[in-house]
Amino acid sequence: MQVEYYPAPPPPGPRVAGLELDAILASAADLELPNYARTVDALLGGGANFAVDRAAAAELRRIDPLVEARARANRAFVRRAVRHAHAEGIDQFLDLGCGIPSIQSVHGVVHAVNPHARVAYVDLDPVVVAHARELVADLPEVSVTWADLRSPGCVLDATEIAGRLDPSRPIALLACGVLHFVHDDLAALLAGWRELLAPGSVVAATHLTAPRTAARSAAVTTVDRMYSRGLAGLALRDPAEVGDALAVVGPVVDVVDWPHAGAGGRHRMNYLGAVGTV
């Protein structure tokens, strides 16, 4: 398969070098390829996916019988982190690498307890952004922004986010299920984000990890192929490396063990997470 790459998302503003999100989407033969975010939606039991995504999910289950359990454990971690942030008095949420916010969404969880909480979703995949915008179009407290989490300043300056979140007040920053697609220095990236947040903000981050095996290599190849137009490659890191990076956020545990051992299940998922307060 020939891999094609989308251009980087534009800095704040409607157009850059004649590129618009709608124009990019119009040229994408998206339904011919599975999409990672939609495949995760299928693994979670959501409805924002197509037959090609469900076929990709079946292939992943064949390679890794625990893939669905891992996806669900990560989303359960996110739900607990969102409730924790709400209990800390936070009413604005920034979800980086949001994927498809359908089933078990951040806004669904927080709006159940505070319908006025503001939620800003961010994703690098313009196809995901288009799907997400359709899903939240009728929710005035929710936005979806096409941006790159590796550029924190540009993300916070984006029109949809700057007009919705108040950076002088605590924010719940979520980077869950996305960092294993980031090839940069994760510790430096997370530290950079923390520096931009007001005191009292909560940061939650997760990262899939696995030992170096043939099964891991097969899974990486499959996931890379699943991304529409080859947006990003999977960057699985060893547990020690992930632990060092997530330690910038807070104590690192398997996602099923936060906030206490066995919180999300009995079986370890090789999915590490951390939650901390700025």
Side-chain angles (χ1 to χ4, degrees), residues 57-79:
E59 185 175 358
L60 280 182
R61 290 189 190 96
R62 179 184 60 79
I63 294 172
D64 177 9
L66 288 178
V67 66
E68 183 173 314
R70 297 187 213 281
R72 292 176 182 271
N74 180 64
R75 292 309 300 174
F77 173 95
V78 173
R79 293 198 302 273

Side-chain angles (χ1 to χ4, degrees), residues 77 175-176 179-180 186-188 190 194 203-209 239-255 271-276:
F77 173 95
C176 299
L179 294 179
H180 37 264
L186 290 184
L190 291 169
R194 282 177 56 90
V203 179
T206 67
H207 192 303
L208 182 65
T209 185
E241 186 179 0
V242 173
D244 289 344
L246 295 187
V248 172
V249 173
V252 180
V253 296
D254 193 286
V255 292
Y271 217 137
L272 300 183
V275 177

Side-chain angles (χ1 to χ4, degrees), residues 3 12 31 56 77 110 117 150 211 218:
V3 177
L31 299 186
F77 173 95
V110 71
R150 295 171 298 177

